[in-house]
Amino acid sequence: MGNRPEELRDLLDSVAKQRGPAIEIAVVGNGSPLPELPAGVRTVELPENLGIPGGRNVGIEAFGPGGREVDVLLFLDDDGLLPNEDTAELVRAAFAADPALGIVSFRIADPESGSTQRRHVPRLRASDPMRSSRVTTFLGGANAVRTEVFREVGGLPGEFFYAHEETDLAWRALDAGWMIDYRADMVLLHPLTAPSRHAVYHRMVARNRVWLARRNLPWTLVPVYLGVWMLLTLLRRPSGPALRAWFGGFKEGWTAPSGPRRPMRWRTVWRLTRLGRPPII
């Protein structure tokens, strides 16, 4: 982001303290200059903000095409912090133990209270954030991805800019046969925030929801999925300006190009359903 140099330094210090082999680090200045960083850190300064998925895709390529110089890539928000020194060892052990594991989603906890927001537990039954489980999506700011996943299904959808890019990648990975785990014992400390703090939140959430469906779902499920989410949005009773922005984004999702369409197989729909989240909610 370019406006949190102290938090970034603390994060890098927490990464350096991880036990086991040293972790290679890349920092992307997404349309912003980078502060002074420790020796050995790979750096990329972009002339413009490419959005969250675009910036992370650049970070992947910092480790060679598709990240091929490494086996696993960790993505950590610049205002986060790894409180435990065994997180990297847990990540290595998880991927070594399960060849089908493609993505691991960390638990995000508030540094003061230790609590985890419900929206940060990537499953429908989110009341117990301390329970690890298989899931159907992951958290963008605290995760680890096997680089073979990127080489097989491609990177994050850069055109999304912000919102739902993780689910787009997750659905493609699941359709290719990979699994996703939420791990409560892999923790990133991060201050409590509301996603609506971003001015573009309501428009992009709606637009990208349509794009997500158009790109990934069988056509028969697209109206069901989008109808459910429209109903949920109305039940949450957003403000007038927020609702107008949401419907503007919803319209944009149908009129603007959504990128390549690769609908998931019906057996993937069934797989998502068995994992507790059919792709209509």
Side-chain angles (χ1 to χ4, degrees):
M1 292 294 294
N3 58 356
R4 298 189 283 242
E6 293 183 4
E7 291 89 339
L8 175 59
R9 172 66 70 155
D10 290 341
L11 171 64
L12 295 179
D13 287 344
S14 73
V15 173
K17 291 176 181 177
Q18 294 298 301
R19 295 198 290 266
I23 299 175
E24 295 287 334
I25 299 173
V27 177
V28 178
N30 205 353
S32 62
L34 292 173
E36 184 178 350
L37 296 170
V41 173
R42 307 183 192 204
T43 61
V44 183
E45 286 191 4
L46 300 175
E48 62 177 314
N49 183 359
L50 299 182
I52 294 173
R56 288 180 180 149
N57 284 338
V58 169
I60 295 169
E61 298 299 308
F63 295 98
R68 66 184 180 189
E69 295 177 14
V70 295
D71 296 319
V72 173
L73 281 168
L74 278 70
F75 295 87
L76 304 172
D77 275 358
D78 62 354
D79 55 347
L81 182 75
L82 295 174
N84 304 319
E85 296 181 5
D86 64 345
T87 302
E89 289 185 329
L90 291 173
V91 169
R92 293 187 186 100
F95 284 108
D98 187 354
L101 182 61
I103 303 173
V104 174
S105 188
F106 294 11
R107 179 168 63 89
I108 295 179
D110 177 61
E112 295 185 4
S113 66
S115 63
T116 296
Q117 291 178 280
R118 187 181 181 88
R119 69 185 183 89
H120 283 155
V121 183
R123 59 177 179 245
L124 291 179
R125 296 179 179 178
S127 59
D128 182 8
M130 301 306 294
R131 179 173 66 88
S132 300
S133 69
R134 294 284 200 198
V135 289
T136 61
T137 188
F138 64 99
L139 306 175
N143 66 80
V145 183
R146 198 187 294 266
T147 51
E148 189 178 344
V149 172
F150 294 122
R151 294 194 293 273
E152 183 173 354
V153 307
L156 293 153
E159 57 267 49
F160 279 37
F161 197 84
Y162 166 76
H164 303 318
E165 65 272 5
E166 300 92 356
T167 300
D168 186 88
L169 176 61
W171 282 0
R172 284 182 281 129
L174 288 163
D175 195 49
W178 295 101
M179 300 301 295
I180 305 171
D181 279 356
Y182 167 73
R183 287 284 297 265
D185 56 340
M186 301 178 189
V187 182
L188 181 81
L189 297 182
H190 188 281
L192 293 176
T193 57
S196 55
R197 71 190 185 279
H198 299 289
V200 296
Y201 171 76
H202 295 286
R203 178 176 70 86
M204 289 196 174
V205 160
R207 183 197 68 182
N208 292 358
R209 184 78 72 184
V210 177
W211 282 358
L212 181 67
R214 289 176 58 192
R215 288 162 59 99
N216 295 287
L217 292 180
W219 278 121
T220 52
L221 292 184
V222 171
V224 181
Y225 177 79
L226 295 177
V228 167
W229 278 103
M230 181 179 291
L231 178 61
L232 287 173
T233 299
L234 295 174
L235 290 175
R236 290 167 180 166
R237 304 177 67 181
S239 66
L243 194 59
R244 285 191 294 273
W246 192 94
F247 275 105
F250 190 85
K251 179 181 178 181
E252 184 182 353
W254 287 106
T255 57
S258 61
R261 174 169 165 76
R262 300 187 183 93
M264 66 178 65
R265 294 165 291 183
W266 282 102
R267 69 181 183 185
T268 303
V269 173
W270 174 238
R271 190 179 183 197
L272 288 163
T273 303
R274 284 169 44 217
L275 287 169
R277 190 156 197 164
I280 58 171
I281 51 178

